[in-house]
Amino acid sequence: MYGSRGAGTTAGRRMSAVVLGAALLITGCSSSDGGDESDGGADAGAGITQQPKEKAPYWVNPDGTAAQQVAALEKSGKKQEAEQIRKIAEQPVAEWVGPDNPEEQTRGFTEAADKAGRTALLVLYNIPHRDCGQYSQGGAADGDAYREWLDGVAAGIGDRSAAVILEPDALLHLVDGCTPEQFHEERYDLLKGAVAKLKSLKNTKVYLDAGNAGWGHPDQIFDPLNRAGIDQADGFSVNVSNFYATDKSIAYGKQLSAKVGGKHFVIDTSRNGKGPYSQGNPDERWCNPPGRALGETPTTKTADPLVDAYLWVKRPGESDGECKGGPKAGQWWSDYALKLTKASS
């Protein structure tokens, strides 16, 4: 299928997000605005600091999975491997909000980001009938459950600064026929309601997911974007969890922007350093492809005025799914993470 799949969370990661959110609420763990060492919170021990705000205003989680891996590798004396994984750990990556305790999770992330003087980057990926029963299947039980979950997300964000990537693949799967027809109207209603709810918050930007440069043509998705409330959103996201080169993503995004009122967009550059994989089964080229590399690091200093930011939406080092020897979608895969970082050196 078309490829922003494989970035979903597993039960273990969902629990980790809840625990981390609670820990962040208690400790306020973060790094100072000037990029100094952590100010005493629950740091993983890897010495992770914030990026300069003028380069990337997004929060670096000092206790993220990659940071924990760095600390473990250093403790075991594997200094070279630790420095490779540090390439991931020191960058702001998105926090994928799980289905349980959304208010607690988002409050933890946004309070920690706010304390560091940064913006929390969040991904909402809980739409009913998510991923058409594939590697990242799941989502809320029904529309009412989704609205209740979203209320929790919004309450947790509050007036703090956040940027939200809204429901990767949700619109694509309406276009490609993957999501059954009887769920289409509900999905449009849920997405439009989510945009309105999130934009009612004081300091939240919202980007509706809009596919990637390789899945189809902008003519196929501009009407679905309109029906999902793109007019109320800040813009759209492209290349989430995929591998298309930044220049191709910019070209795709600009074509689409011209059809939706000149909206801005963001690009997931987390793993696009060597472009997409072109071998093997075409239906699974997006899933843990070999020979890939990290892309441009997150920044708001982009190559085009329509591009608000390059972001690491997919968390580099986490599996796309149980393909090519990978663990379940969303689980950390240290071997793959090392290959990504070494190919980027």
Side-chain angles (χ1 to χ4, degrees), residues 48 51 55-56 59-61 86-93 297-298 312:
I48 302 301
Q51 291 288 333
K55 179 198 174 192
W59 178 58
V60 177
N61 186 345
R86 186 176 292 278
K87 295 177 184 178
I88 298 173
E90 67 185 7
Q91 298 299 330
V93 298
T297 54
W312 284 9

Side-chain angles (χ1 to χ4, degrees), residues 199-243:
K199 285 308 299 176
S200 72
L201 303 177
K202 185 177 180 180
N203 293 302
T204 297
K205 289 189 173 183
V206 181
Y207 296 92
L208 267 166
D209 187 60
N212 58 71
W215 81 275
H217 192 275
D219 283 346
Q220 296 173 270
I221 200 169
F222 79 87
D223 183 59
L225 275 173
N226 285 328
R227 293 179 66 184
I230 189 65
D231 60 320
Q232 298 180 71
D234 293 276
F236 55 91
S237 58
V238 301
N239 204 49
V240 170
S241 296
N242 219 294
F243 303 85

Side-chain angles (χ1 to χ4, degrees), residues 57-73:
Y58 306 102
W59 178 58
V60 177
N61 186 345
D63 196 41
T65 305
Q68 294 177 29
Q69 180 78 57
V70 171
L73 288 168

Side-chain angles (χ1 to χ4, degrees), residues 328-343:
K328 291 182 179 179
Q331 288 189 357
W332 179 259
W333 188 6
S334 58
D335 288 345
Y336 196 81
L338 281 170
K339 289 174 181 176
L340 284 173
T341 58
K342 289 178 178 178

